[in-house]
Amino acid sequence: ETGVTQTPRHLVMGMTNKKSLKCEQHLGHNAMYWYKQSAKKPLELMFVYSLEERVENNSVPSRFSPECPNSSHLFLHLHTLQPEDSALYLCASSQDLGMGYNEQFFGPGTRLTVL
Amino acid sequence: GQNIDQPTEMTATEGAIVQINCTYQTSGFNGLFWYQQHAGEAPTFLSYNVLDGLEEKGRFSSFLSRSKGYSYLLLKELQMKDSASYLCAVRDSNYQLIWGAGTKLIIKP
């Protein structure tokens, strides 16, 4: 039990669907992250939130939309996705951003398949 | 650009020692992390180095040379459960983690 949960664990959607991924951390952390993990590729950082404020502006297509309603919850809203968006989407949290350990704790991920 | 290099796959024998190397070129350096990821599971934290030298934690040790942009993870007394991918990540000047693609370690009896 890592203290970070994600739902759903598996999701199959068509290109015209709208769906949302949910992440919840039970660790009292202040920072939360969304990553995309594709086979044999490095983890790609998508979004970073610190104290519910978005702090990272990576080049992520607008068909991905994050939401952080409070410090424990993070959502990733999906619409009009492409087949190349099929991947494992990982949520992570850390105590804070910045120096020191601040190691990231990961959820189990959502395996997304776009048809 | 920013780059983290590590071997794609390594094979070792149960009970032996294996060293997984990681070289990096990043915009700034604020620490290096090693994570373990079993197939179908979340990455889990193994070690953190911010100063040069060796950090030992049980059967696992991690080494860092900042001047060479180099780290390694040393696994001793290998067990079958050590079969996993090992991810190297560097915290850059923006305090974000830049990740390598991971090294898949296969342990044979």
Side-chain angles (χ1 to χ4, degrees), chain A residues 3-7 21-34 49-53 66-77 91-93:
Chain A
V4 181
T5 58
Q6 290 186 244
T7 54
L21 308 185
K22 178 183 176 182
C23 174
E24 183 174 0
Q25 58 98 358
H26 313 273
L27 301 168
H29 288 168
N30 295 317
M32 296 187 76
Y33 312 78
W34 277 118
Y49 278 83
S50 177
L51 298 172
E52 302 156 44
E53 295 290 326
E67 179 189 1
C68 187
N70 56 61
S71 59
S72 298
H73 293 86
L74 188 64
F75 293 89
L76 187 62
H77 303 300
C91 174
S93 71

Side-chain angles (χ1 to χ4, degrees), chain A residues 33-98:
Chain A
Y33 312 78
W34 277 118
Y35 285 96
K36 176 183 179 182
Q37 187 174 37
S38 303
K40 300 186 179 180
K41 289 186 177 180
L43 282 170
E44 298 175 44
L45 178 63
M46 301 177 72
F47 302 105
V48 181
Y49 278 83
S50 177
L51 298 172
E52 302 156 44
E53 295 290 326
R54 185 171 160 184
V55 296
E56 183 62 25
N57 190 28
N58 287 336
S59 300
V60 180
S62 59
R63 56 187 184 269
F64 295 93
S65 174
E67 179 189 1
C68 187
N70 56 61
S71 59
S72 298
H73 293 86
L74 188 64
F75 293 89
L76 187 62
H77 303 300
L78 316 172
H79 68 98
T80 59
L81 294 191
Q82 305 298 310
E84 60 264 29
D85 297 323
S86 298
L88 181 68
Y89 288 84
L90 289 163
C91 174
S93 71
S94 64
Q95 184 60 57
D96 292 293
L97 298 180

Side-chain angles (χ1 to χ4, degrees), chain B residues 75-95:
Chain B
L75 292 75
K76 302 177 184 176
E77 301 169 15
L78 286 170
Q79 302 174 10
M80 297 303 293
K81 68 178 182 180
D82 297 329
S83 292
S85 288
Y86 291 85
L87 312 179
C88 174
V90 172
R91 182 187 284 147
D92 69 7
S93 56
N94 293 320
Y95 298 101

